Amino acid sequence: MNKKPTHSKAKAVSKLSLLSVEESADFVGVPRSTILKLIKNGTLSISKQGARDDLKLNQKTLEKLRLKLIAQNTKLTFYKLKSFLKDNEDSIQKLATSEHTKLIGGNPVPNEHQSKYTKIHIKIVKAIALNLTDFVKGTKNFNHLGVEVANDALRDNLTIEEAVDGTIFLKQAILKKLEQTELFQTLSTRNLYTFSNTVGSYCDILASKIAFTYHNETTKKVSASESRFRALTEKSGEAIALVNKKGKVIYASSSTKEVTGYTTEEFIKLANPFKLVPLNERKLVTKLFQKLLKKPGNSQRIIYQIKHKGGYCIWVESVMSNLINNPNITAVVINYNDITERITAEDKLKKSEERFRALLNASSDIVYSMSPDWSEMLQLEGRNLLEETSHPIKDWLKKYVYEADMQLVKDTYKKAIGTKSVFELESRVRQIDGKIGWTSSRAIPILDANGDIVEWFGAASDVTTQKELDLQKNNFLGMVSHELKTPVTSIKAYGQVLETIFLRKGDTESAELIKKMDAQVNRLTNLIADLLDVTTINSGKLQFNEDYFNFNDLVREKVEEISRVSRLHHIIPKLEAQSDVYGDRERLGQVLTNFLTNAMKYSPQGNKIGVTTSSTKDTTLLCVQDYGVGIPKKNLEHVFEQFFRVNESKSETFPGLGLGLYISSEIIKREGGKIWVNSTIGKGSTFCFSLPTKKLPTKKIISA
Amino acid sequence: MKKIYVADDDLGILDATKLMLELEGYQVETFLDSSIIQKMVTAPPQLLLLDIWMSGEDGKDICRELKGKKATKHIPIIMVSASRDVEDSVREAGANDFISKPFEMSLLISKIKQHSL
């Protein structure tokens, strides 16, 4: 940054933004008494004493104080949270285990697993406490811990569910336990949010790392067991049995003992070999056998379980061939072998795969992995939605991403690489059928011991239908807006025509009536607009077109617009904002209009209205002050709520659905700013918002 | 007398706007569909008030077409829409100005005066 302009700007800033004690208290977020105390002990200096002995404080100093208080408070809070974790290690662990027990249907976690489980939990809680303040370092540490925990768990023969669920229930347990403490009451929303976010992220990292380690291990095991299986079958580990029409065994090979545990003699003595099949499957297998009996020359391959002589069940794959009509055999030949190991390994792999996927995204259709810098796609499983990629490719962008979204994808992964954080994006893709669809994608970086990215693992789900529905809804809302506004436009126009005619005839009385009608039409128009806005806000779809614009110009424009409507009020602008603002001009204009119309509405006596803009280093501030009826103290905190209206039993009532300030506060929130109000009953209200002075858009930071 | 064309797919709006502008001393002709394009060439007005949502057609396309024609590109076009968020796209289509529905008569008149001096 260039030094010179900053310097001169600082001077200009210090001249303005003097706040009263009350405003200061609100601005800093402390009680009034605290401000007075700080003035007394000299921490805060008073900048100016007005004619009525008003204490005025410099906003810049106050901003510093506010930031200092926040930092102090955060530090203290996290120190407290750390000791909370340390003090509650045991009870959190127990809570997590009991939650898990509830989920698996009341069956307690097996005793032999309990202690291993406890060991892992305590290790994780300790690690969270240690890494609470340094998130970057923490992320690294938890990646290591994930591998460590996974290996421990594998060694201890815990299933993937047990290992992964451990971390998930732990997250819930920590927050649940926290809710029971007094500390919880004192936490600010911001601190609570940061804490739960940190704990959540750590647990997510652990879970994905554990799942991934398990996934790798089980993949290795399956390929090992598969080759072993092949080796076995090639050596013909098959048993053979000949069964006659009545289902009686007439021959059993000597290998029968290896598979079933029964000797040849024992096996032949069995009245019916299918008795070895567990009851639930016996009917099916017998039925298949009967069916096959009717089709000489045919054969049938099936997989089922049989009870081994040792009392346990094994999986067998068997091929039954009907050779009844073959004069040399006259029996059904059953070739079967033990495939238990393969089945369990496959089952485990399936489970671990499912788990892995579920973790990344509950409804994932696609899983993929990327090289550390995203220059290559290593692999992608398309699930019939996208084409498969089984070998690393460099032109993945061209292969999968819709052209118009390429830059967005690039920007997003560059940002994720830069911060080593999760890649998250909804974008358009080329589907296997050639159509353009929408996916919601999420990828996690896997870090090595040095904290460098080794690989990215991602999952994406198909959100095309959802997007199409959104589009339909937006079209519908557009149509509603058009359809409702069309007759209103005609009514308004006819009214204005009538008004003009009456005025020209000198019939001012009738013209006055029409004017009143016009005001009602305007109310209706605003109601329609508000309702549409609320619908869009509530569905989270409020659109923002952000860019840099001159803030003072916008304020001037809106003031002029409002002045045209009412000549009753005298609006006095004092515009001293120093820089452009980054945001949606139209939406911020809407907030301004809302502030101004409110100021007029709630000062029916027709007074002056003050509009000021100013800048601090990090924010741009706007205030609209009226000298009207004011708001009772008990209502102040509710004015930004949906449908709230200041409803006093006085004769005066004010029009509106009570949506305007709610919409305004949602807009300011979305722009990353703050909105607040100061008011004294009978003296008037001051509504303000501040917007952060945003840095250059992220796109530019990355390319720099 | 200055001539103004008004194009909208709603008869009520056409009628009311016509009355309004006639009160101010303009000669007004109204259009429900894209027949406006032909008329703009054969009998050009001083200004066109064009709704963004014409029956079966996008008013922006009509605007783009008129602004692309040598015979009509100098005629000021003010586009009208019930939506407040379309101003940018309307300007991209070449419109000289924009007003949202429902409009104040005074604002409409001042915009017309500004563009048809």
Side-chain angles (χ1 to χ4, degrees):
Chain A
M1 260 258 211
N2 198 334
K3 266 264 150 97
K4 272 180 195 164
T6 321
H7 185 68
S8 64
K9 214 177 250 180
K11 239 185 195 171
V13 168
S14 66
K15 266 199 293 186
L16 36 99
S17 323
L18 291 172
L19 301 184
S20 71
V21 172
E22 206 138 273
E23 286 168 334
S24 305
D26 273 332
F27 182 77
V28 182
V30 294
R32 195 168 165 269
S33 56
T34 311
I35 296 284
L36 289 172
K37 214 160 80 193
L38 289 170
I39 295 174
K40 224 173 184 179
N41 70 22
T43 315
L44 277 174
S45 55
I46 314 148
S47 295
K48 190 175 146 193
Q49 270 177 295
R52 283 178 298 161
D53 270 358
D54 280 346
L55 296 179
K56 291 278 185 181
L57 295 119
N58 186 317
Q59 200 188 325
K60 214 177 140 196
T61 332
L62 289 170
E63 176 68 15
K64 265 189 208 155
L65 174 68
R66 194 172 70 87
L67 292 176
K68 201 173 123 193
L69 286 178
I70 289 176
Q72 268 177 9
N73 173 273
T74 308
K75 208 170 152 191
L76 186 68
T77 309
F78 275 81
Y79 181 74
K80 281 186 196 157
L81 283 167
K82 193 173 164 180
S83 21
F84 151 76
L85 287 174
K86 277 191 178 161
D87 297 346
N88 293 287
E89 268 170 15
D90 285 338
S91 52
I92 288 171
Q93 191 280 320
K94 283 198 181 90
L95 195 57
T97 311
S98 83
E99 285 294 312
H100 188 192
T101 309
K102 250 187 251 163
L103 180 94
I104 55 178
N107 301 325
V109 174
N111 257 345
E112 70 269 28
H113 286 178
Q114 194 95 289
S115 62
K116 299 165 187 170
Y117 218 47
T118 311
K119 199 171 71 187
I120 292 176
H121 279 167
I122 300 273
K123 206 177 203 170
I124 299 172
V125 179
K126 273 193 169 53
I128 292 176
L130 274 174
N131 291 290
L132 216 43
T133 43
D134 191 342
F135 188 65
V136 179
K137 214 170 116 198
T139 310
K140 238 190 258 176
N141 291 342
F142 270 82
N143 266 301
H144 300 317
L145 189 63
V147 182
E148 199 181 311
V149 169
N151 285 328
D152 280 358
L154 274 167
R155 220 180 1 258
D156 283 349
N157 267 327
L158 290 185
T159 65
I160 182 166
E161 286 89 346
E162 287 167 332
V164 167
D165 288 349
T167 66
I168 294 168
F169 289 108
L170 203 58
K171 176 165 73 180
Q172 291 169 355
I174 288 175
L175 295 175
K176 209 163 179 182
K177 186 77 207 171
L178 181 62
E179 276 173 33
Q180 297 165 357
T181 63
E182 272 173 33
L183 177 59
F184 182 74
Q185 305 298 330
T186 66
L187 282 180
S188 69
T189 331
R190 177 208 290 258
N191 283 337
L192 180 63
Y193 177 77
T194 315
F195 177 68
S196 67
N197 236 358
T198 310
V199 173
S201 299
Y202 285 163
C203 288
D204 284 351
I205 293 172
L206 272 184
S208 62
K209 199 78 199 190
I210 292 171
F212 186 66
T213 314
Y214 260 80
H215 184 68
N216 271 352
E217 290 302 316
T218 33
T219 316
K220 272 187 221 158
K221 266 192 197 152
V222 164
S223 40
S225 86
E226 231 171 33
S227 47
R228 212 178 310 147
F229 168 71
R230 283 210 191 91
L232 275 174
T233 46
E234 273 155 23
K235 276 188 206 153
S236 181
E238 266 184 2
I240 300 169
L242 299 190
V243 181
N244 70 9
K245 269 188 222 169
K246 287 175 188 159
K248 193 150 176 35
V249 180
I250 49 177
Y251 168 81
S253 66
S254 60
S255 51
T256 304
K257 191 164 193 282
E258 281 162 40
V259 179
T260 66
Y262 294 99
T263 63
T264 317
E265 292 76 26
E266 284 169 337
F267 195 79
I268 291 178
K269 270 182 202 156
L270 290 170
N272 180 344
F274 296 122
K275 282 232 164 103
L276 290 183
V277 180
L279 262 177
N280 52 346
E281 284 180 17
R282 193 181 299 162
K283 225 176 173 176
L284 184 79
V285 178
T286 318
K287 220 174 172 180
L288 276 168
F289 180 76
Q290 299 294 349
K291 229 172 149 186
L292 186 68
L293 270 181
K294 288 175 192 153
K295 295 180 188 165
N298 279 6
S299 60
Q300 173 94 40
R301 174 186 294 264
I302 50 168
I303 291 173
Y304 53 90
Q305 293 188 75
I306 58 170
K307 220 183 232 162
H308 191 275
K309 196 188 173 188
Y312 50 89
C313 277
I314 59 166
W315 284 95
V316 293
E317 183 176 36
S318 99
V319 179
M320 302 182 189
S321 309
N322 183 339
L323 301 177
I324 300 270
N325 288 355
N326 185 319
N328 297 327
I329 301 172
T330 61
V332 173
V333 180
I334 304 178
N335 289 274
Y336 59 102
N337 52 38
D338 182 355
I339 56 162
T340 310
E341 193 176 351
R342 194 181 74 187
I343 293 264
T344 12
E346 271 173 6
D347 199 42
K348 261 190 189 163
L349 177 67
K350 216 172 104 202
K351 260 194 189 158
S352 101
E353 248 176 23
E354 273 165 11
R355 205 70 188 176
F356 186 47
R357 222 162 262 137
L359 264 171
L360 286 160
N361 193 323
S363 61
S364 285
D365 297 306
I366 302 145
V367 282
Y368 60 89
S369 59
M370 308 296 299
S371 67
D373 62 354
W374 288 64
S375 63
E376 278 187 330
M377 172 176 282
L378 307 176
Q379 198 191 344
L380 182 141
E381 277 180 47
R383 307 275 132 186
N384 296 329
L385 186 75
L386 301 183
E387 209 181 302
E388 302 277 340
T389 287
S390 45
H391 302 290
I393 53 164
K394 282 203 190 311
D395 60 347
W396 59 273
L397 263 174
K398 228 166 116 195
K399 184 171 176 184
Y400 294 114
V401 182
Y402 180 60
E403 247 161 67
D405 286 354
M406 279 186 187
Q407 195 56 44
L408 183 66
V409 173
K410 276 189 208 167
D411 290 346
T412 312
Y413 76 64
K414 276 180 192 163
K415 198 175 156 195
I417 293 170
T419 52
K420 293 182 186 172
S421 59
V422 178
F423 166 93
E424 249 174 330
L425 185 68
E426 270 188 10
S427 64
R428 282 164 290 183
V429 291
R430 282 176 203 292
Q431 292 175 184
I432 202 163
D433 56 7
K435 285 185 192 148
I436 302 294
W438 281 88
T439 57
S440 166
S441 183
R442 196 179 136 90
I444 305 169
I446 305 295
L447 307 179
D448 68 8
N450 302 320
D452 295 326
I453 301 171
V454 189
E455 205 173 345
W456 291 81
F457 288 96
S461 51
D462 182 8
V463 293
T464 312
T465 332
Q466 214 174 307
K467 280 278 169 186
E468 277 164 1
L469 282 176
D470 277 352
L471 199 68
Q472 271 174 21
K473 201 178 91 204
N474 284 342
N475 288 344
F476 174 73
L477 287 177
M479 201 183 69
V480 167
S481 147
H482 183 255
E483 291 302 315
L484 289 176
K485 280 178 181 174
T486 301
V488 173
T489 305
S490 301
I491 295 170
K492 188 174 169 69
Y494 283 126
Q496 293 182 92
V497 168
L498 264 181
E499 191 191 343
T500 317
I501 294 175
F502 281 132
L503 278 177
R504 288 187 187 169
K505 279 187 187 161
D507 186 352
T508 46
E509 215 169 295
S510 301
E512 203 52 45
L513 275 179
I514 301 290
K515 207 183 184 68
K516 283 183 185 166
M517 198 182 88
D518 188 60
Q520 298 303 317
V521 172
N522 287 347
R523 263 179 73 187
L524 183 58
T525 310
N526 289 333
L527 293 180
I528 295 170
D530 279 0
L531 278 175
L532 282 169
D533 278 349
V534 166
T535 325
T536 21
I537 286 174
N538 288 348
S539 63
K541 293 288 182 293
L542 201 59
Q543 293 291 324
F544 279 72
N545 304 314
E546 297 187 320
D547 204 350
Y548 286 94
F549 66 90
N550 187 307
F551 191 59
N552 290 342
D553 280 355
L554 172 69
V555 179
R556 223 170 275 130
E557 226 170 78
K558 290 292 160 191
V559 167
E560 269 169 34
E561 213 174 284
I562 295 288
S563 306
R564 267 203 301 272
V565 182
S566 164
R567 304 195 189 286
L568 208 60
H569 295 84
H570 182 42
I571 304 179
I572 309 161
K574 194 172 152 227
L575 310 181
E576 290 166 335
Q578 297 294 307
S579 56
D580 281 2
V581 160
Y582 185 78
D584 185 314
R585 195 176 194 274
E586 180 89 14
R587 291 290 178 196
L588 290 171
Q590 200 179 334
V591 179
L592 271 165
T593 308
N594 178 244
F595 276 14
L596 289 167
T597 45
N598 272 344
M600 283 162 53
K601 196 154 85 179
Y602 292 101
S603 53
Q605 307 310 324
N607 285 316
K608 60 179 180 178
I609 291 168
V611 180
T612 55
T613 65
S614 58
S615 301
T616 65
K617 195 173 141 229
D618 308 310
T619 55
T620 302
L621 182 78
L622 169 123
C623 290
V624 173
Q625 183 173 19
D626 70 52
Y627 300 87
V629 295
I631 303 164
K633 217 170 189 140
K634 65 176 166 56
N635 287 337
L636 270 181
E637 53 183 315
H638 299 297
V639 295
F640 297 110
E641 288 169 9
Q642 197 170 175
F643 306 120
F644 179 81
R645 303 216 17 232
V646 183
N647 247 343
E648 288 300 283
S649 52
K650 279 190 203 162
S651 55
E652 281 167 309
T653 53
F654 296 96
L657 292 176
L659 293 174
L661 282 173
Y662 167 69
I663 293 169
S664 295
S665 79
E666 287 300 309
I667 290 173
I668 297 299
K669 253 191 249 164
R670 282 276 306 265
E671 295 282 18
K674 267 177 67 182
I675 190 166
W676 68 95
V677 57
N678 294 312
S679 189
T680 313
I681 201 106
K683 284 189 174 169
S685 314
T686 307
F687 280 87
C688 300
F689 67 75
S690 68
L691 292 169
T693 310
K694 286 181 192 162
K695 305 283 181 307
L696 288 171
T698 35
K699 212 198 290 189
K700 286 180 187 161
I701 293 181
I702 286 162
S703 60
Chain B
M1 208 179 348
K2 276 182 179 159
K3 190 161 68 176
I4 292 181
Y5 288 170
V6 184
D8 199 305
D9 69 343
D10 185 81
L11 279 172
I13 289 178
L14 283 178
D15 183 46
T17 317
K18 186 172 151 83
L19 283 172
M20 191 186 262
L21 297 178
E22 280 172 352
L23 270 181
E24 292 296 313
Y26 293 99
Q27 184 198 334
V28 182
E29 266 188 65
T30 57
F31 299 84
L32 266 171
D33 52 37
S34 58
S35 63
I36 177 76
I37 299 175
Q38 187 56 28
K39 199 64 192 285
M40 288 281 282
V41 179
T42 53
Q46 262 75 37
L47 184 136
L48 168 64
L49 207 57
L50 176 63
D51 191 79
I52 200 169
W53 206 331
M54 297 288 289
S55 38
E57 256 147 303
D58 187 345
K60 279 184 281 182
D61 289 340
I62 297 180
C63 180
R64 227 170 266 128
E65 188 175 341
L66 290 170
K67 286 294 177 186
K69 275 192 174 146
K70 206 175 175 190
T72 52
K73 68 175 176 197
H74 63 281
I75 305 171
I77 298 178
I78 298 177
M79 290 209 68
V80 189
S81 168
S83 162
R84 284 186 272 189
D85 302 332
V86 294
E87 182 159 358
D88 288 347
S89 67
V90 159
R91 300 237 184 228
E92 266 166 40
N96 301 67
D97 211 335
F98 169 81
I99 190 164
S100 65
K101 276 186 198 173
F103 41 77
E104 292 294 328
M105 184 170 166
S106 54
L107 183 63
L108 179 67
I109 301 293
S110 81
K111 281 191 186 249
I112 289 176
K113 282 189 177 143
Q114 185 194 333
H115 291 286
S116 63
L117 278 174

